[in-house]
Amino acid sequence: MAYFAQINDSSIVINVIKVDDSDTPNEAAGIAFCKSLLGSDTNWVQTSKTGGIRHRFAGIGMKYDSINNVFLTLSEYPSWVLNTSTWEFNAPVALPADAGFNDDKTEFIEYDWDEDTTSWTNRTVTDFS
């Protein structure tokens, strides 16, 4: 089976369909098949469940970056930057090293991103019930 992502004019994935291999000997044939089913004015890009094509499997709401030929999850925060090694958006400031459980596992330090200050804010959790 082959998978194809339908993208709108803003390169946002709006549909993903599965197509039989007999209809998709290559990407161009698969795109032509998708257009024959759902309209000649539709735009399609092949995707892969394994992420072997365009880095990750396309999902509805993701963006197709045609320059880098990759599907991206959209950044939740405007200040976050795209890491072109992982194709993930990262905070402009590293998560503090003390995040997680303390040594005796009695406290958990959790951080949330504060877009207004472009920094991490922490809270300590001690009640795990």
Side-chain angles (χ1 to χ4, degrees), residues 91-110:
V93 177
L95 183 68
D98 66 345
F101 279 104
N102 64 356
D103 290 338
D104 61 4
K105 307 282 190 255
T106 58
E107 293 181 341
F108 185 85
I109 301 174
E110 187 170 77

Side-chain angles (χ1 to χ4, degrees), residues 3 5 7 26 28 37 43 46 79 100-101 107 115 123 126 129:
Y3 296 87
I7 58 173
N26 57 51
L37 291 176
N43 296 310
Q46 190 168 7
S79 66
F101 279 104
E107 293 181 341
E115 184 65 17
R123 53 191 157 109
T126 56
S129 55

Side-chain angles (χ1 to χ4, degrees), residues 78-91:
S79 66
W80 287 33
V81 294
L82 181 62
N83 178 326
T84 56
S85 296
T86 63
W87 300 108
E88 299 287 341
F89 284 91
N90 300 123

Side-chain angles (χ1 to χ4, degrees), residues 8 14-15 17 46 64 91 102 105:
N8 65 16
I14 58 172
N15 192 11
I17 64 171
Q46 190 168 7
Y64 174 61
N102 64 356
K105 307 282 190 255

Side-chain angles (χ1 to χ4, degrees), residues 27 45 53-55 64-71 87:
E27 184 172 17
V45 180
I53 301 172
R54 299 182 173 95
H55 189 70
Y64 174 61
D65 176 345
S66 62
I67 294 170
N68 294 300
N69 197 25
V70 64
F71 287 104
W87 300 108

